[in-house]
Amino acid sequence: MLKKMLVAGAMLLSTIGYSFAADPVKVGFIYVGPVGDHGWTYRHDIGRQQVEEAFGDKVETSYIESVPYGPQAEMVIRQMAAEHDIIFATSFGYMNEMLKVAKDFPDVKFEHATGYKQSD
């Protein structure tokens, strides 16, 4: 899963048309639990760190951990979308909120782990 996520992130970064001579691509991660859980969120955060290692100063990552599903998730996704080029939501429960916010931010790329919808 982690390897697939890194490959997807690398492919996305290389295909979205950003010039790597320009500002770094800002990538935001939304986690369902704390990064220290030694499970699902921990492994996603390792992937985030590996993106930083692989792309160096070409990317700038940030994350928000322990985001509950529902209205609070939508608020966090919306805040991230206002400041990031790409957002990775790492839990199934964020799917509908990601779709809703994506409609308002057509220039931001949204990636969702374990979701099955591409649009409403």
Side-chain angles (χ1 to χ4, degrees), residues 2-43:
L2 178 62
K3 189 172 185 178
K4 287 180 184 178
M5 187 173 166
L6 288 173
V7 170
M11 288 172 38
L12 187 59
L13 288 173
S14 67
T15 61
I16 60 175
Y18 286 97
S19 168
F20 285 126
D23 294 333
V25 176
K26 293 182 180 178
V27 185
F29 291 79
I30 300 169
Y31 298 147
V32 69
V35 294
D37 70 1
H38 295 286
W40 184 256
T41 298
Y42 173 77
R43 294 307 304 168

Side-chain angles (χ1 to χ4, degrees), residues 28-103:
F29 291 79
I30 300 169
Y31 298 147
V32 69
V35 294
D37 70 1
H38 295 286
W40 184 256
T41 298
Y42 173 77
R43 294 307 304 168
H44 279 98
D45 197 56
I46 295 294
R48 180 192 64 79
Q49 293 170 36
Q50 290 175 330
V51 166
E52 287 180 344
E53 289 174 19
F55 292 98
D57 62 358
K58 296 173 186 163
V59 298
E60 183 180 300
T61 71
S62 64
Y63 66 88
I64 299 178
E65 60 187 339
S66 301
V67 177
Y69 303 139
Q72 189 171 350
E74 181 181 340
M75 181 185 71
V76 168
I77 295 165
R78 194 167 294 284
Q79 288 171 342
M80 279 201 148
E83 301 175 1
H84 293 79
D85 303 303
I86 304 170
I87 298 173
F88 286 97
T90 61
S91 182
F92 183 84
Y94 300 135
M95 181 173 56
N96 291 326
E97 287 79 11
M98 287 281 283
L99 289 168
K100 184 176 181 181
V101 174
K103 290 178 182 178

